[in-house]
C-alpha cells in the first residue's frame, strides 16, 4: 500500500522541480516574439497562393492526422485514421468500417502519435504517410495521392505502440515496440506481482512493399520487461541500425513516477535490423501464436477488407548474437534522435541534467572490443564511457526531443523549463535558447530528421496554451508555434491552435506532393460491387429483409428520390455513387432517424450507409454538402410501412 508520506514526498519533489525551474530560468518571456516585428510578413501567403510546405500533425487523442500549410499555419484537412469521423462518414460507411477492426473487435477510437513519411535514401519521397495508434496497438498507412487512410495493421503482443512509426532508409521497415511490457503469451492470466517473471517487452518490424506500400508483420524481437518509448532509424553509416529508448528498467508495475526513476541510467537499444532480418530468413525465429488484424482498402473496389492472422515470428536475442546492444543513457530517456550524418545518437533523458550524445563509430569500436558492463537476456550492455562522445550541459529541465538544421546545430525541446535550446554538434555547448508556450513536447524542423535538413522553419508542439488565445472554457486547444531558424538566433513567427493533441509532425516541400494529388476518382475505373454509373441503372432490390438502394448523386438530385415499400425491421443499404467528374464536387447523404453518420461521396466514388427503420412514417433524406444553387432541392423521401404491409416496393425520380 502506498503511504501518505510517500505521496507527500513525490508532490514535494515535483513542486521543487517546478520552483527550481522558475528560479533558474524564470517565467517564459515574450521578448523573442516581440522583437520579430516583420513576423506577419514572413508567414503571409497571399489569397490564392500556395504554402511552401505540407505539414502533417498527429491528432493525439483525436486519433486523426491533420494537414497544414507552412509558413501560413492554414489548416487544409483532417484525415480520419483511427477514429470514426462523422464529418466524412469514415468508420461509419460499410467501405471503411473494416479499417477499424482489431482482435478486440471494432475499435472506433485511438491515440495517434507519430507520423512518418515514407523514405527513399532516408529522404521523404511523398508517397505514403504512416502513423501509430498507442492504445490498441496499430499502424496505419495514408495514401498521399488521395490523403485517405488505406491500410491498418494491428501489432500483436504489444501493450501500447508508442515507439512507432519510424522508417528505415528505404522504408524497408517501419518499427514499433511495446510501451508497456505485458505477458508475451496471448491472453495470459497471471498476478501482476509476477511482473519480472511473466512479463516481456517486444520490438516489431513491419515490412513495407516498395511498389504498393502494403504492410506486413515480418517479425518481432523478444525483450526484457522494460518500457520502450520512442524509436528512430539510423542513416548514412548507421542506416542498418534502429534505436529505441527504454525506461522502467527497474521493472516496476506500480507508482512508476517513483519506482521507475530509481536508476541513474536506463538504455537506448541499438538493433542491427539487417542482421535481424538475416537471422529470421535463416530460420532462427520461432513461430508463436498471435492473433491480429490486417485491414486494407481494395484499390479495385475501394472497399476495405479485413484478414485475421494467427501467428508471428519471434526472434530471441539469445539465438541472435551480435544483433542488439544496450547503450546506458541517463535518465528515463524519452526521445532518441540521429543527426544528419548518422554518427550522433542523441538521448532525451526527461529527468537528466544533461543531453547525452553517443557516437555510432565509438559504439562499433566498443562492440569490437567487448566493452560490456554485463549481458541481459543475451543483450550486451556497452560501457557508458565507451560510447558517449559529449554531454550538453545546462540544457534546461526535462530535455525530450532533438532535431537538426544541417548546419552543425541541434535543437532540443525542454518540457519543464518550457523552452527550446540550440546547441553545437561540434562543442556540445548551448548557443541559443527561446521560450515555448507552454510545456513543449516534440519539435519538428523542415527536413530536420533527414540527412539533408532544410534550415527554414521549426514547429514547436506544446501541451498547454493557457493565456495564448481567447479563453474557451477550462479546456483549451493545444497550440503550435512556428519559428524561423534560418539565422543565428531562433525567432518566433506564429502561434496557432491545433486539432487534438499533436505529438509529432512531419513536413515536406509542397511540390513533392501537390502535382500527384487526385482530383477525382475515375468513374470508369469504379469497380465497387454496388456502384451505378448511370442514372438509368439506379434501382431498389429486396432480398428478404435486406433492401439495397442503388442510388446516383448528381447536381441537384438523387436517383431515385421517392422510395416506397420499405418495411419496419428492414436492413436498408444505401449504395451511393457520385457520378460527377468535377474536382471537389462532393455530395453527402443523411436520412432522418439514422443512428449512423452522414457520408460524403467524392466525385466518381461509391459509399454505403446502412439504415434500420424502427417505425412507420415518411422519412426525408437530403444532400449534406452544399453542392449547387439548388442544393436545398437535392432531397427525397422514403415511405416506411408496417412489417406485414403489402405496399409494393417502388422507386422513381420525377415521373419515371
Amino acid at each position: 500500500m502506498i503511504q501518505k508520506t510517500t505521496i507527500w514526498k513525490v508532490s514535494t519533489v515535483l513542486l521543487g522541480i517546478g520552483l527550481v525551474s522558475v528560479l533558474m530560468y524564470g517565467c517564459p518571456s515574450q521578448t523573442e516574439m516581440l522583437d520579430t516585428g516583420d513576423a506577419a510578413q514572413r508567414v503571409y501567403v497571399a489569397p490564392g497562393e500556395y504554402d511552401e510546405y505540407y505539414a502533417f500533425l498527429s491528432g493525439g487523442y483525436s486519433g486523426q492526422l491533420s494537414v497544414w500549410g507552412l509558413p501560413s499555419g492554414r489548416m487544409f484537412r483532417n484525415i480520419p485514421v483511427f477514429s470514426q469521423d462523422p464529418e466524412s462518414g469514415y468508420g461509419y460507411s460499410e467501405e471503411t468500417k473494416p479499417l477499424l477492426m482489431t482482435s478486440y473487435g471494432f475499435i472506433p477510437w485511438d491515440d495517434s502519435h507519430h507520423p512518418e513519411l515514407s523514405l527513399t535514401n532516408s529522404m521523404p519521397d511523398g508517397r505514403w504517410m504512416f502513423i501509430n495508434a498507442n492504445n490498441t496497438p496499430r499502424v496505419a498507412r495514408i495514401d498521399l495521392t488521395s490523403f485517405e487512410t488505406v491500410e491498418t495493421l494491428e501489432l500483436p503482443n504489444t501493450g501500447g505502440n508508442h515507439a512507432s512509426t519510424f522508417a528505415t532508409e528505404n522504408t524497408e521497415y517501419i518499427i514499433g515496440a511495446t510501451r508497456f511490457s505485458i505477458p508475451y503469451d496471448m491472453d495470459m492470466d497471471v498476478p501482476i506481482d509476477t511482473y519480472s517473471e511473466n512479463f516481456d517487452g517486444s520490438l516489431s518490424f513491419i515490412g513495407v512493399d516498395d511498389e504498393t506500400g502494403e504492410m506486413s508483420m515480418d517479425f518481432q524481437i523478444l525483450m526484457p520487461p522494460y518500457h520502450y518509448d520512442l524509436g528512430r532509424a539510423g542513416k548514412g553509416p548507421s542506416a542498418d541500425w534502429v534505436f529505441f529508448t527504454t525506461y522502467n528498467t527497474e521493472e516496476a508495475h506500480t507508482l512508476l513516477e517513483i519506482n521507475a526513476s530509481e536508476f541513474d541510467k536506463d538504455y537506448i537499444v541499438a538493433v542491427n535490423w539487417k542482421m535481424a532480418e538475416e537471422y529470421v530468413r535463416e530460420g532462427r525465429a520461432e513461430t508463436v501464436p498471435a492473433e491480429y488484424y490486417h485491414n486494407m482498402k481494395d484499390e479495385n473496389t475501394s472497399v476495405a477488407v479485413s484478414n485475421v492472422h494467427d501467428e508471428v515470428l519471434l526472434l530471441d536475442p539469445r539465438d541472435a548474437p551480435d544483433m542488439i546492444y544496450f547503450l546506458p543513457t541517463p535518465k528515463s530517456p524519452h526521445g532518441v534522435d540521429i543527426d544528419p550524418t548518422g554518427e550522433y545518437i542523441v538521448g532525451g533523458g526527461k529527468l537528466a541534467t544533461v543531453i547525452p550524445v553517443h557516437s555510432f563509430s565509438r559504439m562499433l569500436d566498443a562492440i569490437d572490443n567487448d566493452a560490456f558492463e554485463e549481458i541481459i537476456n543475451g543483450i550486451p550492455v556497452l560501457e557508458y564511457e565507451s560510447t558517449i562522445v559529449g554531454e550538453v550541459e545546462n540544457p534546461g529541465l526535462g530535455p525530450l526531443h532533438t532535431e537538426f538544421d544541417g548546419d552543425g546545430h541541434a535543437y532540443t525541446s525542454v518540457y519543464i523549463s518550457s523552452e527550446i535550446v540550440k546547441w553545437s554538434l561540434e562543442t556540445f555547448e548551448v548557443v541559443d535558447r527561446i521560450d515555448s508556450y507552454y510545456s513543449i513536447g516534440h519539435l519538428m524542423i523542415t527536413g530536420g530528421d533527414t540527412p539533408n535538413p532544410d534550415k527554414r522553419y521549426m514547429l514547436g508542439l506544446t501541451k498547454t496554451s493557457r493565456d495564448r488565445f481567447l479563453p474557451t472554457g477550462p479546456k483549451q486547444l493545444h497550440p503550435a508555434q512556428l519559428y524561423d531558424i534560418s539565422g543565428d538566433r531562433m525567432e518566433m513567427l506564429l502561434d496557432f491552435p491545433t486539432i487534438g493533441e499533436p505529438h509529432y509532425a512531419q513536413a515536406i516541400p509542397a511540390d513533392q506532393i501537390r502535382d500527384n494529388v487526385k482530383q477525382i476518382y475515375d468513374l470508369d475505373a469504379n469497380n465497387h460491387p454496388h456502384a451505378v454509373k448511370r442514372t438509368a441503372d439506379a434501382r431498389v432490390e429486396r432480398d428478404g429483409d435486406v433492401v439495397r438502394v442503388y442510388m446516383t448523386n448528381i447536381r441537384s438530385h438523387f436517383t431515385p428520390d421517392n422510395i416506397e415499400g420499405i418495411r419496419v425491421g428492414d436492413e436498408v443499404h444505401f449504395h451511393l455513387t457520385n457520378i460527377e467528374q468535377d474536382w471537389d464536387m462532393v455530395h453527402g447523404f443523411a436520412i432522418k432517424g439514422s443512428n449512423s453518420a452522414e457520408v460524403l461521396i467524392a466525385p466518381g466514388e461509391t459509399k454505403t450507409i446502412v439504415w434500420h427503420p424502427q417505425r412507420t412514417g415518411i422519412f426525408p433524406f437530403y444532400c449534406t454538402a452544399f453542392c449547387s444553387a439548388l442544393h436545398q432541392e437535392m432531397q427525397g423521401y422514403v415511405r416506411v410501412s408496417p412489417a406485414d404491409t403489402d405496399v409494393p416496393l417502388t422507386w422513381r425520380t420525377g415521373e419515371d
Side-chain angles (χ1 to χ4, degrees), residues 417-429:
S417 50
S418 202
E419 60 183 325
I420 299 170
V421 294
K422 175 182 176 180
W423 49 276
S424 167
L425 285 167
E426 181 176 352
T427 65
F428 305 112
E429 294 176 333

Side-chain angles (χ1 to χ4, degrees), residues 383-552:
E383 296 171 353
Y384 180 69
E385 293 75 14
S386 69
T387 62
I388 204 75
V389 70
E391 293 179 334
V392 180
E393 297 183 346
N394 192 25
L397 293 174
L400 294 181
H401 305 283
T402 300
E403 293 217 342
F404 309 88
D405 65 8
D407 195 25
H409 296 100
Y411 302 71
T412 299
S413 59
V414 189
Y415 179 82
I416 297 174
S417 50
S418 202
E419 60 183 325
I420 299 170
V421 294
K422 175 182 176 180
W423 49 276
S424 167
L425 285 167
E426 181 176 352
T427 65
F428 305 112
E429 294 176 333
V430 174
V431 297
D432 191 19
R433 58 200 326 144
I434 192 168
D435 298 330
S436 64
Y437 304 89
Y438 302 93
S439 303
I440 186 171
H442 274 276
L443 54 77
M444 181 276 296
I445 290 174
T446 43
D449 60 341
T450 75
N452 187 24
D454 190 358
K455 188 183 175 185
R456 295 290 304 283
Y457 301 110
M458 176 172 66
L459 197 62
L461 302 170
T462 51
K463 298 303 180 185
T464 175
S465 61
R466 295 186 181 275
D467 56 359
R468 301 300 291 175
F469 312 117
L470 287 172
T472 56
K475 173 70 177 72
Q476 301 279 93
L477 291 177
H478 290 270
Q481 281 126 32
L482 184 70
Y483 302 85
D484 184 340
I485 61 166
S486 60
D488 292 334
R489 304 291 305 275
M490 297 175 279
E491 297 178 274
M492 183 185 291
L493 300 177
L494 187 65
D495 193 4
F496 58 95
T498 62
I499 300 294
E501 183 190 1
H503 287 265
Y504 186 47
Q506 293 268 271
I508 185 170
D511 57 12
Q512 280 191 251
I513 292 181
R514 187 181 63 218
D515 294 339
N516 298 323
V517 175
K518 291 179 180 175
Q519 297 187 349
I520 61 168
Y521 291 100
D522 184 356
L523 191 60
D524 291 335
N526 181 342
N527 293 311
H528 189 292
H530 300 297
V532 282
K533 302 179 183 180
R534 304 181 306 156
T535 56
D537 295 329
R539 63 194 184 278
V540 182
E541 296 177 350
R542 173 180 290 282
D543 182 7
D545 293 335
V546 175
V547 177
R548 295 188 182 276
V549 180
Y550 296 86
M551 180 179 284
T552 60

Side-chain angles (χ1 to χ4, degrees), residues 298-347:
D298 186 316
E299 288 188 359
N300 190 42
T301 64
S302 296
V303 179
V305 177
S306 296
N307 289 295
V308 184
H309 299 266
D310 58 7
E311 60 185 27
V312 68
L313 293 172
L314 180 64
L315 194 58
D316 189 325
R318 284 167 285 218
D319 301 324
D322 305 323
M323 176 192 73
I324 183 169
Y325 299 89
F326 283 137
L327 282 63
T329 301
K331 179 174 183 183
S332 298
H334 183 55
V336 56
D337 298 285
I338 314 302
D339 87 305
T341 70
E343 167 63 13
Y344 295 134
I345 307 158
V346 181

Side-chain angles (χ1 to χ4, degrees), residues 139 142 191 218 227 233 261 445 447 490 513 536 541 585 598 618:
V139 292
I142 292 124
D218 196 5
H227 288 7
S261 304
I445 290 174
M490 297 175 279
I513 292 181
E541 296 177 350
M585 188 45 61
E598 64 146 354
I618 302 299

Side-chain angles (χ1 to χ4, degrees), residues 52 246 272 289 335 390 412 454:
E52 297 173 62
T246 70
N272 187 322
T412 299
D454 190 358

Side-chain angles (χ1 to χ4, degrees), residues 519-597:
Q519 297 187 349
I520 61 168
Y521 291 100
D522 184 356
L523 191 60
D524 291 335
N526 181 342
N527 293 311
H528 189 292
H530 300 297
V532 282
K533 302 179 183 180
R534 304 181 306 156
T535 56
D537 295 329
R539 63 194 184 278
V540 182
E541 296 177 350
R542 173 180 290 282
D543 182 7
D545 293 335
V546 175
V547 177
R548 295 188 182 276
V549 180
Y550 296 86
M551 180 179 284
T552 60
N553 307 208
I554 193 170
R555 285 165 286 182
S556 298
H557 63 273
F558 296 97
T559 302
D561 66 2
N562 278 212
I563 303 171
E564 300 190 34
I566 302 298
R567 304 169 185 159
V568 171
D570 279 346
E571 180 179 285
V572 183
H573 296 241
F574 290 96
H575 302 296
L576 305 140
T577 301
N578 180 348
I579 59 175
E580 306 263 8
Q581 291 288 266
D582 189 9
W583 188 20
D584 203 24
M585 188 45 61
V586 172
H587 294 293
F589 178 86
I591 186 166
K592 179 184 178 183
S594 172
N595 60 2
S596 186

